[in-house]
Amino acid sequence: MRKKLAAHAPGVLVCLVIALAATFISEHYGGPQLLYALLIGLAFHFLSRDPQAAPGINFCGRTVLRVGVALLGARITFAQVAALGVQTAVLMVLAVLLTILLGVLLARWLGSTREQGLLTGSAVAICGASAALAVSSVLPQTRENERFTLLAVVGVTVLSTTAMVVYPFALNLIGLVPVQAGIVLGGSIHDVAQVVAAGMMLGPQAGDVATLVKLFRVMLLMPVVLVIAVLYRHHPAVKTPDTEVPLVPGFLLAFVVLVMLASVGTITPAVAQVAGDASRWMLVTAIAAAGVKTSFEDLLKLGWKPVAMLLGETVFIVLFVVLGVLLLRLGAA
């Protein structure tokens, strides 16, 4: 155990320092924390070849990532889901499923792989960079998929930040009331932090609704990743000859258990806040590790197709949710 800790320490410390630097820049100068971690990590790509640092970097990019995703469950309760109402919940489920399907179709039309379509579709449909990393962890662990994951994280973070600024003004122009605007923001912006910020621009009511809708989308991460994990369970790049991949990955089980504990009140709001903060730190650390493992040259090799896929999926989900909200408003009138 002590030898394993010693072997992982250099790489883990590298990723933690990058995460701290990204957090400092984000808190003092603004901008997306995850994107800063990724870009700083890319600058330290040479460390991925260092035999002392590599084990810890790989540990952060896989194990720390999975723990971070699991901790997201502590923020979600079944009561929150029920408070949305059946119509809103159905609208969100349809938006998520159709966006992922669109991702697969766009990948086919553009000559990309199905894995890339699932990755971009899930990132846009559910919760941005967190979803991209979670889905990537159960896809075939190929060099190309690793590069694509990094580009997807960059793209979805930039688009989410752009949406945070643009969407509130656009929703004001079309005359949506705060509750309806909150549904659109929570149902279409990729990252949780940007959803909260965009919602608060339209007032506390819109902010609360947007956050609740977003958490429901985050809850859908578990079944989506589970289905993808089952589909790729027997892929040779997912498992080794000596290792059988479990039917349900452990971090997804932990996610479900935490949702249940939060629902029955075992996890208090204060503990949920701590778990949420820990999850964010772990995801930033995992992004830093992913950045260290990837070079700019690798990203440039992917070309324009991932950008087109992410942009198409982003436009689709916001138009679909806006149309759904307008139809619900007409039905209630």
Side-chain angles (χ1 to χ4, degrees):
M1 182 65 179
R2 184 175 297 177
K3 288 183 178 179
K4 185 176 287 189
L5 288 174
H8 284 73
V12 171
L13 288 174
V14 167
C15 296
L16 284 174
V17 169
I18 294 173
L20 285 168
T23 303
F24 178 85
I25 296 171
S26 177
E27 290 180 351
H28 288 79
Y29 301 100
Q33 181 186 25
L34 290 173
L35 184 57
Y36 289 142
L38 175 59
L39 294 176
I40 297 172
L42 286 169
F44 288 89
H45 171 63
F46 64 93
L47 290 175
S48 64
R49 303 187 186 96
D50 188 312
Q52 288 186 309
I57 293 170
N58 291 329
F59 173 79
C60 289
R62 189 166 181 84
T63 303
V64 173
L65 161 66
R66 292 187 165 205
V67 175
V69 172
L71 287 176
L72 289 172
R75 300 179 57 185
I76 304 168
T77 66
F78 294 126
Q80 291 174 330
V81 175
L84 286 177
V86 175
Q87 291 180 323
T88 302
V90 170
L91 177 62
M92 290 303 106
V93 171
L94 287 175
V96 167
L97 293 179
L98 291 176
T99 303
I100 295 173
L101 177 60
L102 177 64
V104 174
L105 293 176
L106 286 174
R108 179 182 297 178
W109 293 336
L110 294 174
S112 299
T113 65
R114 184 176 67 172
E115 290 80 19
Q116 293 173 353
L118 288 170
L119 188 65
T120 59
S122 299
V124 171
I126 306 173
C127 52
S130 303
L133 293 169
V135 170
S136 175
S137 71
V138 296
L139 286 175
Q141 301 300 298
T142 63
R143 181 80 171 170
E144 184 180 9
N145 281 349
E146 286 184 357
R147 292 198 301 262
F148 193 88
T149 300
L150 264 293
L151 191 58
V153 168
V154 173
V156 83
T157 304
V158 171
L159 288 171
S160 186
T161 303
T162 303
M164 175 188 70
V165 176
V166 174
Y167 287 5
F169 296 103
L171 295 177
N172 266 335
L173 290 176
I174 63 176
L176 293 184
V177 299
V179 172
Q180 296 165 337
I183 293 173
V184 174
L185 295 174
S188 59
I189 296 179
H190 314 322
D191 189 75
V192 176
Q194 276 85 343
V195 167
V196 175
M200 290 305 173
M201 290 183 191
L202 298 178
Q205 187 179 19
D208 290 345
V209 173
T211 303
L212 186 56
V213 171
K214 183 61 185 178
L215 289 176
F216 178 73
R217 284 171 67 200
V218 172
M219 190 187 74
L220 296 177
L221 177 65
M222 188 277 294
V224 169
V225 176
L226 175 58
V227 170
I228 295 173
V230 171
L231 287 175
Y232 286 93
R233 183 170 177 248
H234 299 292
H235 194 286
V238 173
K239 64 176 185 176
T240 65
D242 300 323
T243 306
E244 180 66 23
V245 178
L247 181 61
V248 181
F251 74 100
L252 292 183
L253 288 175
F255 181 96
V256 174
V257 169
L258 288 175
V259 171
M260 292 179 176
L261 291 175
S263 298
V264 299
T266 303
I267 298 178
T268 64
V271 174
Q273 181 63 43
V274 171
D277 292 342
S279 172
R280 188 71 178 180
W281 267 103
M282 289 180 181
L283 292 175
V284 173
T285 304
I287 281 284
V292 173
K293 292 169 64 178
T294 305
S295 66
F296 280 113
E297 291 82 2
D298 289 336
L299 293 179
L300 291 175
K301 289 176 184 176
L302 293 172
W304 57 271
K305 292 180 180 179
V307 177
M309 291 165 62
L310 287 167
L311 189 58
E313 293 152 5
T314 297
V315 172
F316 169 81
I317 193 169
V318 68
L319 291 179
F320 181 84
V321 176
V322 168
L323 180 61
V325 167
L326 291 176
L327 289 174
L328 290 176
R329 182 170 69 175
L330 288 175

